[in-house]
Amino acid sequence: MKKLMQISLAGILALSFSTAVYASSDDPMEKAAEYRHDVFEVLAWHFGKMGAMIKGKVEFDKDDFATRANYVAALSAMPWEGFVEGSQGDSDSKAEIWTDKETFDNGAKMLQEKVAALVKAAESAEKVDDVKPAFMDTAKLCKGCHKKFKKD
Amino acid sequence: MKKLMQISLAGILALSFSTAVYASSDDPMEKAAEYRHDVFEVLAWHFGKMGAMIKGKVEFDKDDFATRANYVAALSAMPWEGFVEGSQGDSDSKAEIWTDKETFDNGAKMLQEKVAALVKAAESAEKVDDVKPAFMDTAKLCKGCHKKFKKD
């Protein structure tokens, strides 16, 4: 029974997930780089939609903003395990991520703190000005870290 | 001051996020398809690592398993907004997503319920057998929905 379950599970995982995970590469370093990139893409999707409300391009919806802030909080914990030593390759990552790991790790920690503050502001917000400072604070941190650690 | 903040924010967002979000396309339909795909890739990364523990390929680590279960729970709420009407394009999505929207939406809801049960099991688990049934239950649902709604 145990063996049957394992075979069945292997089949399920193969059918359900292998295509997605191994779509571009079987190389663990490339997979790690893809993974962290995908996390940032999803994070950027939500942060971008929050930014549109901040900029007044889209009407401020406090529930939608708070939902996305919580998504960003969950996502902000995820990318770091993808920054595996040796996985720079031709990704957008600069070598400084690994040569100045202390600063990088500190930035990662600060992001999670800034986003926690953004969630807190979002969950009690009534109008866009209530979330603007915490949003700007997070955006500035993103910019600073990207300048130091991301190509382009 | 308000204008200055808006200009500065626009700059920050442009520098920090536009590259990521608009990397492949400016077309809103393609962007939606990329977004949902990226969410599933990130979800598959974590579900795959949980699966490796379930299969015994990696030693069961209850904290790591529970952390990833929580990530999967957060992620399982995210992809659906990317299934915009008209965004099938050449993505992995089958037309049935939009022609049988009720079944699809029900699957999305069920996934979030199964994953909530998986989180609950994971947070009180001492050994891998404590999480296996909830994991298998989730994996089976993934497989069923992919068969009906995903190409390949």
Side-chain angles (χ1 to χ4, degrees):
Chain A
M1 177 56 197
K2 199 180 172 195
K3 200 172 178 190
L4 194 69
M5 192 181 245
Q6 284 177 343
I7 292 165
S8 159
L9 174 62
I12 287 169
L13 285 177
L15 275 167
S16 307
F17 289 99
S18 295
T19 327
V21 178
Y22 305 128
S24 319
S25 170
D26 273 340
D27 176 41
M29 294 298 146
E30 283 182 34
K31 275 161 58 185
E34 275 175 34
Y35 162 74
R36 66 190 188 233
H37 183 74
D38 290 338
V39 176
F40 283 120
E41 293 268 346
V42 175
L43 197 158
W45 170 275
H46 295 290
F47 205 72
K49 291 197 180 283
M50 293 163 78
M53 290 187 238
I54 296 282
K55 285 191 276 183
K57 286 192 176 179
V58 172
E59 198 180 349
F60 181 66
D61 176 330
K62 62 181 181 178
D63 295 329
D64 186 63
F65 193 94
T67 296
R68 293 186 194 281
N70 274 293
Y71 289 170
V72 169
L75 292 159
S76 71
M78 295 184 203
W80 321 114
E81 70 181 85
F83 289 97
V84 179
E85 182 90 46
S87 68
Q88 185 186 6
D90 60 354
S91 73
D92 291 341
S93 301
K94 286 190 189 170
E96 283 79 357
I97 288 170
W98 295 277
T99 57
D100 190 2
K101 203 172 174 331
E102 198 181 328
T103 307
F104 182 74
D105 288 348
N106 188 48
K109 194 170 152 264
M110 275 175 69
L111 175 65
Q112 292 170 77
E113 288 169 9
K114 298 281 184 201
V115 173
L118 179 56
V119 167
K120 204 177 164 188
E123 288 186 340
S124 62
E126 288 302 326
K127 54 192 190 307
V128 70
D129 284 343
D130 298 336
V131 292
K132 210 174 259 183
F135 182 89
M136 290 296 291
D137 224 26
T138 308
K140 274 179 203 160
L141 183 75
C142 295
K143 186 186 173 185
C145 275
H146 286 180
K147 201 172 170 183
K148 187 163 172 58
F149 294 113
K150 185 174 179 278
K151 290 179 198 163
D152 309 324
Chain B
M1 176 57 195
K2 198 181 171 195
K3 201 174 177 189
L4 194 68
M5 191 181 248
Q6 284 179 342
I7 291 166
S8 159
L9 174 63
I12 287 169
L13 285 177
L15 275 167
S16 308
F17 289 98
S18 296
T19 327
V21 178
Y22 304 129
S24 320
S25 170
D26 273 340
D27 175 44
M29 293 298 145
E30 283 183 34
K31 277 161 58 186
E34 275 176 34
Y35 162 74
R36 66 191 188 231
H37 184 75
D38 289 338
V39 176
F40 283 120
E41 292 270 346
V42 175
L43 197 157
W45 171 275
H46 295 289
F47 205 72
K49 289 194 182 285
M50 293 163 78
M53 289 188 240
I54 295 283
K55 284 191 276 182
K57 288 192 175 181
V58 172
E59 198 180 348
F60 181 66
D61 175 330
K62 62 180 180 179
D63 294 329
D64 187 63
F65 193 93
T67 298
R68 294 187 194 279
N70 274 293
Y71 289 170
V72 168
L75 291 159
S76 71
M78 296 184 202
W80 321 114
E81 70 182 84
F83 289 97
V84 180
E85 181 90 45
S87 68
Q88 185 186 6
D90 59 356
S91 72
D92 290 342
S93 301
K94 286 190 188 170
E96 283 78 358
I97 289 170
W98 295 277
T99 57
D100 189 1
K101 204 172 175 326
E102 198 180 328
T103 307
F104 181 74
D105 288 348
N106 189 47
K109 193 169 153 264
M110 274 175 70
L111 175 64
Q112 293 171 77
E113 288 169 7
K114 298 280 184 202
V115 174
L118 179 56
V119 167
K120 203 177 166 190
E123 289 187 338
S124 63
E126 288 302 325
K127 54 191 190 307
V128 71
D129 283 342
D130 298 336
V131 292
K132 209 172 260 183
F135 183 89
M136 290 297 292
D137 224 26
T138 308
K140 273 179 204 159
L141 183 73
C142 294
K143 187 186 173 185
C145 274
H146 286 178
K147 202 171 171 184
K148 187 164 171 62
F149 295 114
K150 185 172 179 279
K151 289 176 197 163
D152 310 323

